[in-house]
Amino acid sequence: QPLARYSAWRRAGDLILMSGVIAVDPVAGRIVRGFDDIPEDAAHLIGKTGEFSSDIKDGPILAQSWHVLDSIRRNIEAAGGQMSDVVKLVQYFRHLDHFPRYSSVRKLFFPGLPPVSTVVEVSAMLPTADILIEVEATAWLPERAPKV
């Protein structure tokens, strides 16, 4: 569910256009700030070590990356598609040096041919400075003709 008055996604012919996704859990009303805010199995899959110094440094961007991409996955599945239907991503970062850690998570969601990609560094994102990444996606999902 979006956090304000806009659509999470819309169909335009054969395209599914998704709004930018940030690492916020709208049901719980909280920002994903680290490994403790995502499922434990996902945290370990993307790099949780149990070492405080490492996890406190890498946890925020890794957890936010997983949450954002998992939200995109849920949106595309709600539209009737799958992650392989995503053809373009636009990724906004507060710090471009986070891109390599995000990229390692992105590979888990796009193990085959990756989508085309745009990467941009921005000075701020809503709602707070805790948001490190926002990703918008476009998927190609041909409308199926009704069976006669």
Side-chain angles (χ1 to χ4, degrees):
Q1 281 297 96
L3 300 172
R5 187 168 155 56
Y6 61 90
S7 299
W9 62 271
R10 286 191 54 187
R11 178 178 279 281
D14 290 343
L15 294 177
I16 303 296
L17 304 165
M18 295 184 208
S19 294
V21 177
I22 59 173
V24 171
D25 179 346
V27 174
R30 74 172 194 274
I31 294 171
V32 172
R33 290 189 169 89
F35 290 129
D36 291 340
D37 298 324
I38 64 173
E40 188 70 20
D41 59 334
H44 286 288
L45 177 67
I46 63 173
K48 181 178 181 180
T49 65
E51 297 174 10
F52 182 80
S53 296
S54 297
D55 291 351
I56 201 76
K57 181 171 177 47
D58 292 336
I61 188 59
L62 289 170
Q64 287 193 20
S65 298
W66 180 88
H67 187 275
V68 164
L69 292 167
D70 192 58
S71 295
I72 289 171
R73 179 192 58 76
R74 287 191 314 267
N75 282 333
I76 190 63
E77 288 175 357
Q82 55 193 7
M83 288 299 269
S84 61
D85 297 319
V86 175
V87 295
K88 177 154 176 76
L89 295 174
V90 180
Q91 296 122 140
Y92 303 93
F93 290 88
R94 288 277 318 281
H95 311 286
L96 278 179
D97 63 340
H98 285 161
F99 180 77
R101 289 185 285 290
Y102 163 81
S103 184
S104 69
V105 176
R106 186 180 63 181
K107 288 175 187 172
L108 300 172
F109 286 86
F110 298 100
L113 182 65
V116 296
S117 176
T118 299
V119 176
V120 180
E121 183 177 57
V122 297
S123 62
M125 286 184 262
L126 292 173
T128 74
D130 292 320
I131 298 297
L132 302 173
I133 183 172
E134 181 170 348
V135 179
E136 62 182 69
T138 302
W140 185 70
L141 188 62
E143 292 186 87
R144 310 286 193 250
K147 295 185 179 196
V148 185

